[in-house]
Amino acid sequence: MNVLGIETTCDETAIAVVRDGVEILHQAVASSADLHQLFGGVFPELASRRHIEVIGPLLREALAFPIDLIAVAHTPGLVGSLLVGLQAAQGLSLALDKPLVGVNHVEAHLYAAMMEAPRLFPALGWVVSGGHTLLYRMEGPTRLHLLGTTVDDAIGEAFDKVASLLGLPYPGGPHVERLARQGNPASIALPIGKVRGSPLDLSYSGLKTAVQYALAKNPAPSDLAAAFQEAAFEALVTRTRLALAEGGYQAIYLGGGVTANARLKERFAQAFTLPIFFPPIALALDNGAMIAGLGYHLYRERGADPLDLEARPRYNFGL
Ligand code: KG4
Ligand code: ZN
């Protein structure tokens, strides 16, 4: 079964064709990050406009393949951006007379870690991206139970804000990682946020503020970047350790843009002995293949969604 995946939740317009949930036949990504650099963050109206400009040509390319199902990321994301992808998907579903299935973008980030990996359950799953920091217990690709989340900033957002404090371009994650490689993380003490009464939840706003205060003392930027990065990842490691203490987990899957970070991979490999799976770089950032891949499983398990499927900008924590 060939699944067309459509991803327009934020600033990437990403289209892919995936066979049977695993084999990527076609993949294309257009980003509007160039437009947002001036603002230090995503400018929603510019993102929607760029989606409108590029989605037609990108879809035309993908339609060179025969399509059996259309999967679209319909939640969570920027409402204007979501609507461009959703309306394109609805139009195609009607025109091609093919079923439509709505996919949760953050859950698809976890599926990206499974596409080329063995599937071992129950597993722990981390989504670490610009918009989300979510810890799940996973019983299967489509069966996720939320265990913890950030109560304020997402981890990628913290990287982006720290990058901006250090005068680095947007998106800041890769720049902070590069700078941190030359720094000594032990030279600056930074706090690891805790949430009272919710040991599996996280908080990144205190860490960001601590970076701001530390900056006033004129440290080497590389030391500050390294100290921030270690503290940001230590928060994930401590929650993982706590969660693993119960539950008989077989593996850890991580997804989302922050998994592009090599130090994160190293830190998890040092800390845990069970199998750990990260998506390949092309699937770590927003992409259409993860939407098509998870959409395939959702369709097989519960069938198509109605054509009037709605965009849901906010993540539904009750799922
Ligand atoms: O998953 P993604 O492409 O979009 C969202 O769904 O948010 O994640 C983008 C986020 C940005 O905050 C970016 O700074 C961060 O991932 N990121 C990184 C790295 N590469 C991207 N953070 C840390 N280290 C990296 N190498
Ligand atoms: Zn994402």
Side-chain angles (χ1 to χ4, degrees):
M1 178 176 230
N2 285 353
V3 184
L4 176 70
I6 302 179
E7 155 62 44
T8 63
T9 60
C10 189
D11 59 343
E12 265 99 32
T13 319
I15 306 292
V17 181
V18 177
R19 183 186 290 155
D20 296 339
V22 287
E23 192 191 339
I24 299 173
L25 304 178
H26 172 79
Q27 157 110 277
V29 182
S31 174
S32 58
D34 56 317
L35 300 177
H36 310 303
Q37 276 184 350
L38 286 171
F39 306 98
V42 176
F43 195 121
E45 180 61 24
L46 295 179
S48 321
R49 288 184 194 197
R50 180 64 70 79
H51 287 309
I52 292 171
E53 283 166 20
V54 301
I55 197 165
L58 287 179
L59 283 172
R60 215 162 289 133
E61 257 173 49
L63 291 176
F65 295 85
I67 302 298
D68 305 302
L69 171 70
I70 297 158
V72 60
H74 73 122
T75 186
L78 301 168
V79 66
S81 291
L82 285 168
L83 284 172
V84 178
L86 184 57
Q87 289 177 1
Q90 289 164 328
L92 276 178
S93 170
L94 202 60
L96 302 176
D97 195 21
K98 298 295 172 192
L100 175 74
V101 68
V103 175
N104 180 312
H105 171 89
V106 292
E107 298 181 1
H109 268 304
L110 277 179
Y111 187 77
M114 276 170 233
M115 279 186 85
E116 297 178 1
R119 303 191 180 181
L120 307 167
F121 299 105
L124 265 191
W126 272 113
V127 176
V128 285
S129 72
H132 299 276
T133 314
L134 302 158
L135 175 62
Y136 293 96
R137 176 183 173 89
M138 310 178 68
E139 306 289 349
T142 61
R143 285 203 292 281
L144 313 186
H145 311 281
L146 192 68
L147 299 176
T149 186
T150 177
V151 296
D152 40 56
D153 294 349
I155 183 169
E157 189 181 356
F159 269 88
D160 294 336
K161 286 181 176 171
V162 165
S164 148
L165 288 171
L166 293 170
L168 300 168
Y170 172 85
H175 300 280
V176 171
E177 179 183 8
R178 210 167 301 130
L179 189 60
R181 255 180 242 142
Q182 292 126 41
N184 172 12
S187 63
I188 301 167
L190 293 174
I192 293 161
K194 287 206 173 80
V195 183
R196 193 172 302 169
S198 308
L200 295 179
D201 283 337
L202 308 94
S203 163
Y204 279 109
S205 73
L207 176 57
K208 177 200 62 198
T209 309
V211 167
Q212 209 162 1
Y213 281 120
L215 201 57
K217 296 181 191 150
N218 290 317
S222 57
D223 287 344
L224 191 52
F228 159 75
Q229 184 172 268
E230 286 307 300
F233 293 158
E234 202 50 35
L236 304 179
V237 167
T238 55
R239 270 58 168 198
T240 306
R241 206 171 274 134
L242 263 182
L244 286 179
E246 45 199 274
Y249 293 102
Q250 306 294 308
I252 307 174
Y253 296 94
L254 296 96
V258 180
T259 64
N261 188 297
R263 177 61 191 150
L264 174 65
K265 293 179 185 158
E266 196 177 80
R267 189 68 195 85
F268 265 69
Q270 285 168 351
F272 306 110
T273 51
L274 75 175
I276 306 171
F277 301 104
F278 292 89
I281 290 287
L283 299 179
L285 301 172
D286 288 352
N287 66 87
M290 66 183 189
I291 305 300
L294 183 56
Y296 167 79
H297 288 276
L298 290 170
Y299 178 73
R300 289 195 45 173
E301 285 173 24
R302 53 162 219 225
D305 281 318
L307 191 61
D308 63 355
L309 175 73
E310 286 188 358
R312 268 196 290 132
R314 291 180 63 83
Y315 179 72
N316 183 350
F317 287 92
L319 284 180

